[in-house]
Amino acid sequence: VANAAGANAVAVAELTMAHLLNLDRRLCSQAESLRRGEWRRAEYSEARGLFGQTLAVLGVGHIGREVVLRAKAFGMEVRVWSRSLTPEAALEMGATWCRSPESAVDGAYALAVHLPLTEETKGLVGADLLE
């Protein structure tokens, strides 16, 4: 996704939620199975759902804020981290402010990263953060 200074923030946030739903419900796998004439209901009914799950959002600029709004609409708990984010600003979004990316990700069901790629953010998300 290209950075267009907020011009596509809503579209990217919607796409982020679509990906979360797809991963949770395995929609692409289900569609592929159906095309092969298979109906594996038991296997695909094991989705946890997004409601009540925790989403960690790293980067709450235009896109990240739109993701927070949509995740809250799905009933998700949202933890946020961004370099200049204050606890008060996180609270205004209805999210929990985290001091570090590690504390945001710890125990989260899913992670959404909406940070510009800079020398500071390069390599931020990797095995160390996700373990």
Side-chain angles (χ1 to χ4, degrees):
V1 175
N3 184 1
N8 60 354
V10 170
V12 174
E14 289 174 351
L15 182 60
T16 298
M17 297 309 296
H19 284 306
L20 286 172
L21 287 168
N22 176 46
L23 290 170
D24 180 68
R25 301 286 176 173
R26 299 177 58 196
L27 299 173
C28 289
S29 298
Q30 288 184 55
E32 186 178 315
S33 292
L34 283 172
R35 284 188 198 102
R36 289 192 307 263
E38 302 168 0
W39 178 247
R40 301 185 338 218
R41 180 180 173 186
E43 180 181 343
Y44 293 128
S45 65
E46 297 174 7
R48 293 166 79 181
L50 299 184
F51 184 84
Q53 300 294 343
T54 300
L55 175 65
V57 179
L58 304 183
V60 286
H62 295 293
I63 295 169
R65 288 174 190 271
E66 294 293 336
V67 170
V68 170
L69 286 172
R70 282 151 184 79
K72 296 296 292 175
F74 274 89
M76 298 185 83
E77 299 296 324
V78 182
R79 293 190 213 137
V80 292
W81 174 85
S82 205
R83 289 175 303 164
S84 59
L85 183 69
T86 65
E88 296 78 22
L91 187 62
E92 286 177 19
M93 284 185 268
T96 301
W97 176 82
C98 294
R99 187 173 305 281
S100 67
E102 294 80 9
S103 62
V105 170
D106 186 38
Y109 179 66
L111 167 64
V113 181
H114 300 285
L115 296 166
L117 182 60
T118 65
E119 286 303 315
E120 184 180 336
T121 62
K122 190 174 185 179
L124 176 68
V125 178
D128 289 343
L129 182 67
L130 300 175
E131 290 178 342

